[in-house]
Amino acid sequence: MDRRHFLASSGAAAAALTMPGMLHAAGDTPSGDAALNALFGKIFNANIDDSPESATQLGLDRGPRAALKAKLNDRSAAGRAADLARAKKAIADITAIEPATLSKDGKLNREVVLYSLTNGITGPDKYQIGSTQRPYRIFQQGGAYFSVPDFLSSSHTIQNATDCEAYLSRLAAFGTALDQDSALQRAEAARGYVAPDFALDLTLGQMAKLRGAAAETSSMAASLATRAEAAGIAGDWRARAAKIIADTVYPALDRQIALVKGLPRRKEAGLWALPQGEAIYADALKAATTTNFTPDEVHQLGRQQVAEISAQLDKILRAQGLTQGTVGARLTALNARPEQLYPDTAAGRAELIAGLNEGVKAMRAKLPQAFINPPNAPLEIRAVPVEIQDGASNGYYRLASLDGSRPAIYFINLKDVGDWPKYTLPSLTYHEGVPGHHTQLATVAGLKTPFLRRFSFFGAYSEGWALYAEQVADELGGYANPVERAGYLQSFLFRAARLVADTGIHAKRWTREQATDYFVETVGFARPRSLREIERYCTQAGQACSYKVGHISWLRARDNAKRILGAKFDIKQFHEVLRDGAVPLTILERLVEDRARAAL
């Protein structure tokens, strides 16, 4: 589960509200703040207790909550209804606290949490689906079959025999989770909510890989056995896990495979083909961008950005002797140059990851030039697990646990190293790692403020920051030569093209093939990588638009601060706005302006 899915999920959104012991003391805040913080604590306790996977992700599955480490989330229709009811109750309770009784920080906290909760219930409340951005229960990047094995391997820590027993309990619960997903997908299919045919084919392929290994050699059994052995924990953990897999997990997976094979097939890629599809997409776009832009407005913004960035790339490519064809075609030619490719071998993949680590180390040394006390939290870089690489994103970031037992992880999809010419990798590392997601999230993780300010999630803010961070890296001299800078501009071109493709698919009725062709021709990514991107947009509507819209907002906020402060503008002070936590874009620009005027 990556940062988007974890932080945007109902359980984790609640978990991100606050935490007992981290609230402001009632004695030094207005009475309304104390009541608001107490309510946040109540909401947190109710929701984290009902979200075992969130408890583990946050490192809170210990002490009074130790029993949660042996459980998985409730994925049933009843569980979804309970989540919705709790969210509505939380909205009503928070709304009842009058803003006039709150401090400035309290008002901001109330505003941000209400915005988050209200937008978060749109899918289940208005359309009776999981969410507007992820409307399908089972698809190539969604469902227990996809998330649970990875969760058990990378989030469930193994330090003692109790942890091993808890792993086995969760493995047994995996069968129930699969059946719950199947029941909900069956009901939603009857209402017309089924992923496109190509997404179902990808899903079946990944399920077949998960199912294809003998129980004793499955990744799920191996993960437990290998880590238990490394920790010196005696026990026949592989055999015990294999029995559960054979007796419980595989039968449930077989039932789900049969269900997916029998689901109605449709070729249409976009949400427009679903019941209420146009309305769902409008709400998905609103949730993803935290704006009221229409699909047409986003589409035209993308076209404009593509033209501007392509013109900048044209100059660099011509200087490299690449003068023929479109910018996308010339980038494709650059991708194929032998000096840009790692060997498609285990050694080549290891070399690639080693290079990423070197890039993180080098950029860390530059951060003090643009940040006050930048965080130095550890970051692990891993390849996406092979079982899910066919449908997984090309790169994503996973939060560290709060107790420090598990570091943050930056995953890169190495199914085909040809997807990653060397000149494109620095910008990816700056986006996912330093000074991107890792710097932003490690900064807020270190604040002694309520969790709602530390871990509230808005995709346009976080993804916009990560794209802006690629630009900060450029300003810090992070791109060693013009070719690497072309990779950075290609990253911007990629995000601009997303605005065009996402709205094209869901509002203008583009086919998957039409959108892929546009990507290959415009961005210059290899077709397999372009196809994976497009297939993600087809099943996770609007999310791809958050990056460039967010980036534009960060730049607009910075330009406004420069206009207000003139010679007094300090980039380090500008970046201190990260310590206010994630907010919708309109609030971000307001906060930056307030900070700038206060510094006059």
Side-chain angles (χ1 to χ4, degrees):
M1 182 182 291
D2 67 30
R3 67 183 179 282
R4 295 183 292 268
H5 308 157
F6 168 56
L7 289 173
S9 68
S10 57
L17 294 179
T18 188
M19 178 181 179
M22 299 301 289
L23 306 175
H24 293 305
D28 58 9
T29 57
S31 60
D33 281 24
L36 184 66
N37 287 339
L39 178 56
F40 289 152
K42 180 180 178 182
I43 293 169
F44 167 80
N45 284 313
N47 284 277
I48 198 66
D49 288 342
D50 200 55
S51 182
E53 292 167 41
S54 294
T56 293
Q57 291 276 9
L58 291 169
L60 301 176
D61 55 355
R62 56 195 65 219
R65 292 193 172 101
L68 294 181
K69 193 164 186 176
K71 300 177 181 179
L72 295 176
N73 290 356
D74 183 353
R75 289 169 164 80
S76 67
R80 177 187 286 176
D83 286 346
L84 177 59
R86 277 195 305 276
K88 285 186 170 182
K89 177 70 163 54
I91 291 169
D93 290 344
I94 296 170
T95 302
I97 295 180
E98 290 294 333
T101 68
L102 300 173
S103 67
K104 180 181 177 182
D105 286 347
K107 290 174 182 176
L108 177 63
N109 293 346
R110 180 183 182 276
E111 179 183 13
V112 171
V113 175
L114 281 176
Y115 186 104
S116 180
L117 290 175
T118 301
N119 277 279
I121 66 171
T122 302
D125 191 40
K126 188 174 179 180
Y127 304 108
Q128 293 77 55
I129 57 177
S131 77
T132 54
Q133 293 183 71
R134 292 166 62 89
Y136 309 118
R137 187 65 178 190
I138 298 174
F139 61 102
Q140 79 272 23
Q141 288 188 6
Y145 87 92
F146 183 87
S147 63
V148 169
D150 186 31
F151 167 80
L152 289 174
S153 177
S154 59
S155 297
H156 183 106
T157 55
I158 299 293
Q159 298 175 336
N160 51 50
T162 301
D163 292 341
C164 294
E165 294 292 349
Y167 185 104
L168 293 176
S169 295
R170 276 180 157 161
L171 200 56
F174 184 22
T176 300
L178 288 166
D179 284 336
Q180 288 174 337
D181 269 352
S182 294
L184 205 47
Q185 177 62 86
R186 188 178 294 109
E188 291 184 352
R191 298 172 45 233
Y193 295 100
V194 180
D197 55 2
F198 55 84
L200 296 181
D201 289 339
L202 283 169
T203 300
L204 287 169
Q206 294 184 152
M207 288 177 172
K209 285 187 177 181
L210 182 64
R211 179 65 177 85
E216 294 81 3
T217 60
S218 76
S219 61
M220 293 175 285
S223 175
L224 175 59
T226 301
R227 291 188 289 155
E229 181 180 2
I233 305 168
D236 195 0
W237 304 110
R238 183 183 292 272
R240 291 179 63 188
K243 179 170 175 53
I244 294 171
I245 292 166
D247 294 349
T248 303
V249 175
Y250 280 175
L253 188 57
D254 287 340
R255 291 190 289 273
Q256 190 163 99
I257 290 171
L259 167 71
V260 174
K261 286 181 177 178
L263 288 175
R265 291 291 176 125
R266 66 177 177 86
K267 293 187 177 298
E268 297 87 358
L271 294 194
W272 61 267
L274 301 179
Q276 298 180 278
E278 291 182 355
I280 292 173
Y281 184 56
D283 282 331
L285 204 57
K286 178 181 178 181
T289 65
T290 62
T291 71
N292 290 314
F293 289 154
T294 67
D296 273 344
E297 288 171 333
V298 172
H299 192 83
Q300 291 308 313
L301 176 62
R303 294 279 189 187
Q304 175 187 343
Q305 289 277 308
V306 164
E308 292 175 1
I309 299 164
S310 294
Q312 296 179 61
L313 273 164
D314 176 66
K315 295 178 181 178
I316 294 177
L317 294 172
R318 287 183 180 279
Q320 297 299 312
L322 295 165
T323 61
Q324 300 300 312
T326 65
V327 165
R330 283 178 276 162
L331 286 167
T332 298
L334 181 59
N335 293 346
R337 287 183 172 179
E339 71 272 13
Q340 291 296 335
L341 299 176
Y342 284 99
D344 191 16
T345 62
R349 287 170 171 79
E351 182 185 357
L352 187 154
I353 289 178
L356 299 181
N357 279 299
E358 285 299 314
V360 168
K361 182 180 178 180
M363 181 49 64
R364 279 193 197 277
K366 296 177 181 290
L367 289 190
Q369 299 175 43
F371 297 86
I372 298 171
N373 298 322
N376 194 33
L379 175 65
E380 185 175 327
I381 303 177
R382 295 187 193 176
V384 171
V386 295
E387 295 87 353
I388 61 172
Q389 66 184 7
D390 288 356
S393 302
N394 287 313
Y396 54 92
Y397 174 87
R398 177 167 295 159
L399 287 165
S401 62
L402 294 176
D403 62 358
S405 62
R406 176 180 48 75
I409 305 170
Y410 146 30
F411 286 93
I412 181 169
N413 193 328
L414 297 182
K415 178 182 179 181
D416 184 352
V417 293
D419 288 344
W420 298 111
K422 294 177 182 179
Y423 78 97
T424 68
L425 289 169
S427 61
L428 179 72
T429 291
Y430 302 147
H431 182 105
E432 299 292 349
V434 176
H437 288 305
H438 187 58
T439 296
Q440 180 234 326
L441 292 168
T443 295
V444 296
L447 301 179
K448 296 184 181 301
T449 54
F451 261 22
L452 95 159
R453 300 307 312 121
R454 287 200 274 166
F455 289 103
S456 51
F457 177 78
F458 298 95
Y461 174 101
S462 297
E463 299 298 355
W465 166 264
L467 200 55
Y468 166 73
E470 297 180 39
Q471 180 170 335
V472 173
D474 181 44
E475 294 163 356
L476 292 174
Y479 303 102
N481 53 58
V483 176
E484 285 191 357
R485 198 164 187 281
Y488 149 65
L489 289 173
Q490 185 186 38
S491 173
F492 277 19
L493 180 63
F494 165 38
R495 273 46 180 245
R498 280 176 160 180
L499 301 180
V500 180
D502 196 272
T503 52
I505 291 163
H506 296 294
K508 298 185 179 298
R509 305 194 175 193
W510 286 15
T511 65
R512 176 184 60 154
E513 293 72 23
Q514 184 179 357
T516 303
D517 288 343
Y518 172 77
F519 241 62
V520 172
E521 293 164 5
T522 304
V523 184
F525 284 170
R527 180 166 288 275
R529 180 180 176 187
S530 296
L531 180 61
R532 277 202 305 275
E533 287 290 334
I534 294 301
E535 287 168 340
R536 176 160 74 87
Y537 311 159
C538 292
T539 53
Q540 298 180 65
Q543 191 275 332
C545 297
S546 60
Y547 299 71
K548 202 68 179 72
V549 172
H551 175 231
I552 291 169
S553 185
W554 273 100
L555 288 182
R556 188 164 54 228
R558 189 170 84 168
D559 288 344
N560 190 39
K562 286 181 177 180
R563 180 187 61 79
I564 293 169
L565 289 167
K568 293 180 66 177
F569 177 79
D570 182 348
I571 191 65
K572 295 181 182 180
Q573 289 296 335
F574 170 71
H575 291 153
E576 284 292 280
V577 75
L578 288 176
R579 301 185 192 279
D580 285 333
V583 294
L585 295 180
T586 51
I587 297 177
L588 167 66
E589 295 192 36
R590 188 182 79 207
L591 290 174
V592 170
E593 179 166 343
D594 289 347
R595 280 174 167 268
R597 295 195 181 282
L600 285 172

